[in-house]
Each structure stands twice: as structure tokens, then as C-alpha cells.
Amino acid sequence: MSTTDCGCGCGGAPAFPAAFVRPRFFAGQLLTEDDLTLLTDYVAGKDRLHNRTLSGPGVVCGLEVSCDSCAGGTVLVHPGHALDCCGNDIVLSCKEKVDVQALVRELRVSSPGVACGDPCDDDQRHFGLFVRYEESMAGPVAPFATEEPCPSPGCVPSRVEEGFRFVVKCDPTDDHRYNPATKLLARIGDKDAYEHVRLLGRRLGRYLDPMAVAGGSSTRPITFEKDDFVRYHDNLALLKAAGDTPQPPEARQQTEYVRALASAVARYDTYDEAGQQELRSQYEELGAIDSAREALGAACDRLARTDAEQVWPEPAHRQIALALLAEVKSRVVTLDPDAPIERRLLAQGTPVNNVLEAEFRADLVRLREWLLGRLDRVAGVEDCRLHDDVRKVAIPQPLPIPEPDQMQRLSIADLGLLTDAAGKLTTYVRRFVTDAACSTLNPPCTDCADNDVLLAHLELDGCDVVRVCSATREQVLPGGSAYGEWLPKLYQLRHFAEQICCQPIPVYRPPSVPVGGPIPRPYVPRLLEDWRPRDPLERMWELLVTPAPGETVPKPVREQVYTVPAEVTDSLQEMNALRGQVSDLVATVEALRGQLDTARQQVSQVRDELPERLSDRLSELENAPEAEAADSEAEDDEEQAEKPKPPPRRGRSSPARGGGTARKPRSGETS
């Protein structure tokens, strides 16, 4: 059974044959040279395939290279066994002396564009000594006469001798080893780009559960327990003892004190008056909670005077810290009763202001575009529904990054859409990376471009070999030298793979909350610290991309970079501005519709409240003009009848009743 996507193998042949065919013998069969040749080809082909895929190229044993006892340009190669990348066996049965000077001269002559001359004229050079598999025909035999129309003249070789020859080439050489990170990065793409996406996904992951609870239970208190009181007591004391001009390390620590204390105070503020009174009776220090607000205000003013970029070099952490200071000042230091969602987010230690909300919207766009870009470029994804799932995600409308504004508040609808999109996209990123990481457990087959086997690195000074090094040549390992770097990590990778690969598709589910009473929610720890990997997928990623001592560097990823013209970005900004204007017009039209409905209701109410007699009187007044007009018409007709009629004029029709043209009937009359 053949395939259409075959890699290039040895000598231009496919890396894998379409099918192995062996002869089948039976009694009375006429055997020809084709049958016997097929048998030898089958056995030799199977041996080469096993050598190529199970062992790989390199030195099996022996073949040490040493200096010759006689000074000069020769070395000694000791007996041994090697395999080339085509699976051919190279066997050296006895020690041989190799004339490196002659091989260097041969290299210079055969190299295009190089002047032919004495190799001893060169300065110090480095070369590689290789052994190459060769076949030669031997054992000529005269064939018997056959019925072939064109018989072979003379003798025909009856044997194929497997041999070798030594060659010298310039260093360095290709490395056949397989680094599993090469396949991983081929799917993930640029490592730095994914690290940024992973950082944004981690930040959204820290906010997922708090946003789901704050949006779904914006009127219920967050529990204030003993741990919250301990955090309140300890961090209040630390802030009161803090210095006035904190340096970056102290500023980061004081920001954590502010976050912890503000979380405890915000939890207290989510209770009603009766609940707060009960907390004060249980924890007496809460009676002086105004002092905690004053300490928070002083700490926020003190931290606002520091350089945020110097304190928080990472932008993802910097925006959280700035949002924290802004929210504490506007929601906790000065109690804001009209911001229940922001207060419950602070109670869990995850502040969100209008700037951070806009950044979250932009982060969701980046995550979705990165996922779609990778899925469009990568072939062979094993998660078959991932591409369609990513396209179906409803992304909140991205907004330009605004200035901090404490009057801007989160709505339940916007927060729900933000939480839903963040929960889906962070899960989809995890699904894609899991698929890519699990695929590294299946090493790819490599093509054979060069079947020379490196024996040693040679250092020449003129025509003399001055140094021989065989320590860094490829060795045949169990499973093949191509997997030499993959095997040490195999057992750890298998351990992580059992936990994440071939498992049910992950789905984000918001935390469950009790039906009534305060909601028990933990304080989010280490929000402003480095988000280190904890789960098996993160540890699997770190194991794959972190090189071990002596490990080769993964092959670079080369992809076409797509740039967006400035005209397109300007058009997108104008489109966003027009979308904002359309939204304002829609809101204005909806408001006018509401006013019109209110006016109609008022008119209907007035009609219902009018007395019945007044309604009759209105009807009489409406019909009165028509009756008076009818009476006046009747009187005019009587007067016209009493007067003498003038003689009719000729040539014109008279407008009188006796004329040729009738008067048009008035309203209410019959023709």
C-alpha cells in the first residue's frame, strides 16, 4: 500500500518502501534470477530499515581514531562497527592507517571554487574524518547461454562486496539527534509570543472565579471569617509601621499589605448594618475600622508617589497594582455604596477598574487571534473541534485604553460576557498546548541527507595532524541516536501525559455558591508575584523547553510575518469610533421611544378619567358645525326660489339649477 507523502530517503528513493515483498517457493516452481534477487533485497531491506529507525546513524563500537606513531599527516583507525543513516553496516575488521594529507588534497580538488594547491600552505584548519559505505562488484562469472535476445557479453559480477572508504570534510556536521522541543515549537510558534499569551492567560485565570462570583451574586455579602480578621490585624500593623519613601522592593511589599487589608475591609463593607454589628461584637478591633481606612488612604498616597514602571517591570502586574490603588481610594477609603461589583472583587483580592477592564478585553482579542493563527498554520491537530469552538467565542467589544475614572463602573452584563469569554479562551489555549505537548511523545522520522558517519574531529597544522577528538561524535543508543535527548525525559513526560493527555475535554465551570447567606470565597494569594507553573501541563512545557546540560538547541521556527498596514489600523480605529456613535444614537432612540410610550399612556389615562356626560358634550360640539352648515344652505335655497330668475345666457352653461351643468352635491346630500 503506497502513500503520496513520502520523504526523501537514501539515493533519492523513498524513506519507506511502498511494501515489502518476499518470494514464495513451491514444488515444481521455475526459479529465475528475479526470484533470488527479490529474496536478497527483502532481507537486506528489512535489515537496513531496522538499523535506520531502531538504531539510527552513528558508531556502534570501536572505530577509535588515534595519532600515528610516525609524525606526519596520518592517523590510525581501529576496528569497529558503525551504521549510516541509510541503515548500512560499516565494518572495519582491522586497524588501518589513513593518509589525511591526501584526503585534504582530494577535498580541495573536488570542492568547487577553491584554488588547487598544496594543502600544507594553509594555516591551522579543522576537519572531520568520516567513513562512507560503498559497494563494489566482484566475482565475475561467464553466464550460460540463454534465450535472451541480447545476452550480456563477457563475464558478469556474481558478488556484491560491502566496503567503505574514508573521506575528510569541513566541520561542523549535521546532527541527527532529535530534540522534542523542535516539534513542540513547530506547533506553538515563537516561544516569546507564546510566553506573552501564557502570561495573559494566567492573569485572566486568576480573575475568573472572582469575576463569576461578583457578577452572579452582586447583592450578597462575602464571608468575613477568622482568617480575614488575622489578615486585617496583621496588615494594618504593617502599614502603620511602614516608611514614608519606599524603595521598589518595599513598595511591592506594601502594595501586598494594601491588597490584603483592603480585602478584609471590603468584606466587612459587603454586610448590612446588622451583619456589621454582629462582626464588631465578635471582633472588637473592627469597631475602629475607620483607622484602617485612614491607613489605607495614607499608604495609597505614599505608593502613588513611586515610579510604577520601576516598581513593577512586568506590565501585567503593573496594571493590577495601579488598579488596586485606584479602587482602594475610591471604594474603600471613601465608601462607595453604588459599586457593589467592584467592592466584591476587592473583597476577594482581585481589583478591577475601567483601565484593567479595557486591558482584559484586549487580552481576549490577543488570545483568540493567537489561537486562530496557530490553528490555521498547524497541520495534524488532534483536537478536531477546537478550531470551530474558538471561532464561536463571543468576544466583548475591544475598547481603547482609557484614563482612570472612578465614575465608570462594571455592569453585570459586561462582566458576565467578559467572564464567559475568558473562561472559554483560557480553556481553549490549554487544549491547544496540551495537544502540542502530547504530540512530542511521538518522535518523527527523519530524512537521510548525508550517509557519512563521523569518526573524529581533526586539527591540522600545515600537513601534520596535531589533535584528534572522538568524544563528540554520534553514538548509537537504544532507540536510536535521534532520540538520545528525548529518552532521558521520556519517563517524566509519560508521567505528566497520563494526567493531561487522552483525558476528557476541559470545560470551565464557575464556582458554586450556597443558596442563601454569605458566600464563602477564599482570598486570592500571590496575585502580584510571579505566577509559577503548578499544574502538569505547565511542568511538561518547562521540561520540554528547558535545555538540559549538553542538550542541543531546538531548531529555529521560521514563519512568514504578516504585517497590518497603517491604513487598516486607522480604519479599524475609525470603525470603533463609529460603533460608539451608533451605540449612543441607539440609546437616544430607545429613550425617545420610552418617552413616546409614556405620553400615550397619559393620554389614555385622561380619556378614561373624563365624565360620561362630558364625553357626550364633546361629541355634540364635534357634530355642531356640520348641522349649522346644513341649515344655512336650506335658507339660501328658499331665497333664491322667491327671486325672479334671470334669462339664461347663450354660449355658456348657467350655474343655476336649470342649466346644463349640475351642481356638485355637498357633504351629506345625494346626487
Side-chain angles (χ1 to χ4, degrees):
M1 180 177 178
S2 61
T3 59
T4 57
D5 187 12
C6 297
C8 181
C10 302
F16 298 99
F20 278 100
V21 180
R22 62 179 185 269
R24 178 179 178 274
F25 305 110
F26 54 89
Q29 179 184 4
L30 175 62
L31 295 179
T32 64
E33 67 274 13
D34 293 337
D35 300 312
L36 300 178
T37 302
L38 181 60
L39 178 60
T40 59
D41 290 346
Y42 173 79
V43 175
K46 275 295 185 69
D47 289 341
R48 291 192 180 101
L49 177 63
H50 293 167
N51 291 341
R52 185 168 66 248
T53 57
L54 297 181
S55 300
V59 177
V60 179
C61 64
L63 295 178
E64 296 91 352
V65 181
S66 61
C67 300
D68 193 2
S69 57
C70 299
T74 59
V75 295
L76 296 177
V77 180
H78 298 265
H81 178 206
L83 298 174
D84 67 5
C85 65
C86 292
N88 296 307
D89 291 282
I90 303 174
V91 180
L92 183 61
S93 57
C94 59
K95 182 171 57 177
E96 289 204 14
K97 181 182 291 188
V98 180
D99 188 351
V100 177
Q101 178 182 346
L103 294 177
V104 171
R105 183 179 294 109
E106 180 183 346
L107 174 65
R108 290 177 60 89
V109 172
S110 60
S111 300
V114 178
C116 300
D118 189 354
C120 301
D121 294 338
D122 293 342
D123 295 332
Q124 193 171 10
R125 296 281 305 274
H126 293 81
F127 295 93
L129 177 62
F130 294 80
V131 62
R132 179 180 298 172
Y133 173 82
E134 283 191 344
E135 293 180 352
S136 60
M137 300 299 175
V141 175
F144 289 100
T146 62
E147 297 180 356
E148 294 291 336
C150 298
S152 300
C155 297
V156 178
S158 62
R159 301 290 185 268
V160 178
E161 289 186 357
E162 296 183 350
F164 58 87
R165 76 183 185 95
F166 297 102
V167 294
V168 166
K169 295 192 293 187
C170 297
D171 268 348
T173 60
D174 294 335
D175 199 330
H176 297 92
R177 288 179 293 174
Y178 164 68
N179 190 317
T182 299
K183 188 173 182 179
L184 176 65
L185 295 178
R187 294 198 174 197
I188 296 297
D190 183 69
K191 182 181 176 182
D192 294 336
Y194 170 65
E195 291 289 355
H196 181 64
V197 168
R198 184 169 66 153
L199 181 66
L200 300 181
R202 285 178 176 175
R203 184 170 70 170
L204 287 171
R206 296 271 176 165
Y207 274 83
L208 268 179
D209 289 349
M211 289 193 302
V213 172
S217 305
S218 60
T219 59
R220 296 172 59 184
I222 306 296
T223 55
F224 189 100
E225 298 176 341
K226 184 177 180 180
D227 293 340
D228 303 306
F229 175 73
V230 172
R231 190 167 64 253
Y232 170 87
H233 177 271
D234 295 344
N235 289 278
L236 178 58
L238 290 171
L239 283 180
K240 288 182 177 180
D244 293 335
T245 57
Q247 297 300 316
E250 292 80 9
R252 288 193 290 269
Q253 194 61 50
Q254 289 186 28
T255 306
E256 276 290 359
Y257 299 158
V258 169
R259 188 172 74 94
L261 179 59
S263 170
V265 176
R267 286 173 184 259
Y268 172 84
D269 292 339
T270 58
Y271 284 78
D272 56 9
E273 182 61 32
Q276 292 178 359
Q277 184 176 358
E278 183 179 354
L279 289 176
R280 289 194 298 269
S281 63
Q282 187 176 359
Y283 306 104
E284 295 181 359
E285 291 188 24
L286 293 179
I289 198 169
D290 290 338
S291 63
R293 301 185 193 275
E294 294 176 359
L296 285 173
C300 290
D301 295 337
R302 187 165 58 246
L303 292 172
R305 294 192 295 267
T306 61
D307 187 356
E309 294 186 0
Q310 186 179 4
V311 177
W312 307 100
E314 174 55 54
H317 293 92
R318 186 191 312 144
Q319 293 302 329
I320 295 178
L322 295 176
L324 171 67
L325 299 180
E327 287 296 290
V328 171
K329 285 282 290 183
S330 58
R331 317 298 183 195
V332 177
V333 176
T334 302
L335 187 60
D336 185 2
D338 297 329
I341 297 178
E342 288 81 356
R343 188 185 307 118
R344 280 155 180 79
L345 286 171
L346 271 175
Q348 301 174 76
T350 51
V352 177
N353 64 343
N354 64 316
V355 179
L356 194 56
E357 180 197 1
E359 284 210 357
F360 283 168
R361 292 170 178 256
D363 294 346
L364 292 175
V365 175
R366 294 190 187 97
L367 261 63
R368 185 174 183 270
E369 293 302 321
W370 181 84
L371 265 176
L372 291 176
R374 296 315 311 165
L375 290 170
D376 290 340
R377 291 179 175 88
V378 175
V381 178
E382 298 174 3
D383 195 338
C384 305
R385 296 184 177 178
L386 182 57
H387 196 280
D388 292 338
D389 290 344
V390 175
R391 288 191 176 277
K392 294 177 182 177
V393 177
I395 299 293
Q397 180 181 352
L399 302 174
I401 304 301
E403 294 295 328
D405 186 2
Q406 63 179 6
M407 300 304 296
Q408 295 291 334
R409 297 180 176 87
L410 286 169
S411 66
I412 295 179
D414 290 341
L415 188 62
L417 185 59
L418 192 68
T419 306
D420 180 71
K424 290 180 178 178
L425 284 178
T426 53
T427 304
Y428 295 162
V429 171
R430 179 181 177 84
R431 285 169 56 181
F432 176 73
V433 179
T434 299
D435 183 88
C438 294
S439 68
T440 62
L441 300 180
N442 303 311
C445 293
T446 57
D447 296 337
C448 179
D450 187 0
N451 62 342
D452 295 335
V453 179
L454 176 66
L455 297 181
H457 300 279
L458 305 179
E459 182 178 337
L460 276 69
D461 187 1
C463 287
D464 296 334
V465 178
V466 297
R467 185 176 176 82
V468 177
C469 179
S470 304
T472 57
R473 66 185 183 182
E474 284 187 297
Q475 300 289 336
V476 174
L477 303 173
S481 62
Y483 314 142
E485 296 180 357
W486 175 72
L487 287 175
K489 301 179 179 181
L490 174 61
Y491 296 105
Q492 298 182 65
L493 292 174
R494 290 288 185 187
H495 172 69
F496 296 139
E498 291 176 356
Q499 304 177 51
I500 63 174
C501 302
C502 303
Q503 298 295 324
I505 296 177
V507 178
Y508 172 72
R509 291 183 175 83
S512 58
V513 297
V515 178
I519 303 173
R521 283 297 302 159
Y523 173 75
V524 177
R526 297 184 295 275
L527 181 64
L528 295 173
E529 299 178 7
D530 291 337
W531 301 315
R532 297 180 180 178
R534 300 292 180 183
D535 60 337
L537 177 60
E538 295 283 355
R539 297 173 66 185
M540 191 174 184
W541 163 264
E542 294 293 338
L543 178 63
L544 286 168
V545 301
T546 304
E551 185 175 325
T552 59
V553 179
K555 295 180 181 179
V557 179
R558 295 182 176 87
E559 292 183 335
Q560 184 178 358
V561 179
Y562 298 92
T563 58
V564 180
E567 295 81 0
V568 177
T569 56
D570 295 341
S571 300
L572 291 175
Q573 294 177 358
E574 294 177 1
M575 185 179 296
N576 289 332
L578 290 175
R579 286 178 177 174
Q581 296 177 4
V582 170
S583 300
D584 296 340
L585 291 175
V586 170
T588 304
V589 171
E590 293 294 334
L592 293 176
R593 286 180 177 176
Q595 296 177 3
L596 181 60
D597 293 339
T598 302
R600 288 175 176 174
Q601 293 177 0
Q602 293 176 354
V603 171
S604 300
Q605 184 177 1
V606 170
R607 286 184 175 275
D608 294 340
E609 293 177 355
L610 285 175
E612 184 176 355
R613 56 186 179 82
L614 185 58
S615 177
D616 297 339
R617 179 56 181 164
L618 288 175
S619 299
E620 293 177 0
L621 293 175
E622 291 176 355
N623 298 327
E626 296 181 359
E628 293 176 357
D631 295 339
S632 62
E633 289 178 0
E635 293 176 357
D636 293 341
D637 292 341
E638 292 178 358
E639 292 177 358
Q640 292 292 337
E642 293 176 357
K643 294 180 179 180
K645 298 179 181 180
R649 297 179 181 180
R650 296 181 180 179
R652 294 180 62 184
S653 56
S654 175
R657 293 184 180 179
T661 303
R663 179 180 60 87
K664 293 183 179 180
R666 296 184 181 181
S667 176
E669 296 180 350
T670 58
S671 59

